[in-house]
Amino acid sequence: MKHIALIAACDRSRAIGKNGKIPWNIAGEQQRFRQLTTGQTVIFGRRTYEEIGHPLPCRETIVVSASRQFSGSHLQTVPTLAEALAAAKTEWVFISGGARLYAEAMPLAEMLYLTEIDGFFQGDVFFPPLLAGQFARVAEERHDGEIPYVYVTYRRYTKNGKK
């Protein structure tokens, strides 16, 4: 059985990008992404993948795009999220942006791994809002520094309302 998770970093206004780039550069902030996704499948939308520019090491990378093809070692392109999920062979599948892919995958996710940046940055792309009663905040790990942030883990409530 595949487990689906969304993984993102966002600021207090839920901004995740500006002009195709991450609007902050915080030393160590991406460490959790690497720890969680290594050995698993990461699914990106085309623009997010183009920002990165290459497959991530030690992960299967699937790009959702109807307009471009990317291929290589541990890299494939499919036209829809459904096809990306079907192509994933690992236990965990991490949806890693952009905004449209997050919104489409949100109803399927059992876990959210968010890095909540303690600040406001200029953004033009935003992580979708969390609807009340869908997810429970089950863990957090604070990191102080010039720009503080918190690694937050959310788990979807089950049908009977339990975590």
Side-chain angles (χ1 to χ4, degrees), residues 119-130:
F120 293 94
F121 294 79
Q122 291 294 315
D124 56 13
V125 181
F126 297 86
F127 191 81
L130 302 182

Side-chain angles (χ1 to χ4, degrees), residues 9-17 23-24 115-129:
C10 58
D11 75 356
R12 285 184 171 198
S13 66
R14 305 203 83 63
I16 58 174
W24 51 79
T115 300
E116 297 179 350
I117 309 296
D118 188 14
F120 293 94
F121 294 79
Q122 291 294 315
D124 56 13
V125 181
F126 297 86
F127 191 81

Side-chain angles (χ1 to χ4, degrees), residues 130-157:
L130 302 182
L131 300 177
Q134 285 189 332
F135 292 92
R137 190 175 182 124
V138 295
E140 64 179 61
E141 179 183 318
R142 296 190 177 283
H143 293 263
D144 294 322
E146 186 177 324
I147 303 171
Y149 59 93
V150 182
Y151 290 147
V152 182
T153 303
Y154 294 89
R155 181 182 316 273
R156 181 175 295 281
Y157 282 109

Side-chain angles (χ1 to χ4, degrees), residues 57-84:
C58 305
R59 285 156 267 219
E60 295 298 320
T61 301
I62 301 174
V63 180
V64 176
S65 176
S67 62
R68 290 220 32 216
Q69 285 292 313
F70 302 93
S71 62
S73 181
H74 305 285
L75 171 65
Q76 63 180 306
T77 305
V78 297
T80 67
L81 175 60
E83 290 177 69

Side-chain angles (χ1 to χ4, degrees), residues 30-97:
Q30 295 181 349
Q31 180 180 359
R32 183 182 195 208
F33 180 93
R34 188 172 26 262
Q35 289 173 334
L36 289 169
T37 63
T38 296
Q40 303 300 330
T41 299
V42 181
I43 298 175
F44 296 105
R46 177 189 54 81
R47 285 183 284 200
T48 302
Y49 180 75
E50 287 175 338
E51 178 188 335
I52 296 166
H54 58 84
L56 299 175
C58 305
R59 285 156 267 219
E60 295 298 320
T61 301
I62 301 174
V63 180
V64 176
S65 176
S67 62
R68 290 220 32 216
Q69 285 292 313
F70 302 93
S71 62
S73 181
H74 305 285
L75 171 65
Q76 63 180 306
T77 305
V78 297
T80 67
L81 175 60
E83 290 177 69
L85 293 171
K89 305 289 187 250
T90 57
E91 179 181 359
W92 279 93
V93 178
F94 290 88
I95 309 301
S96 302

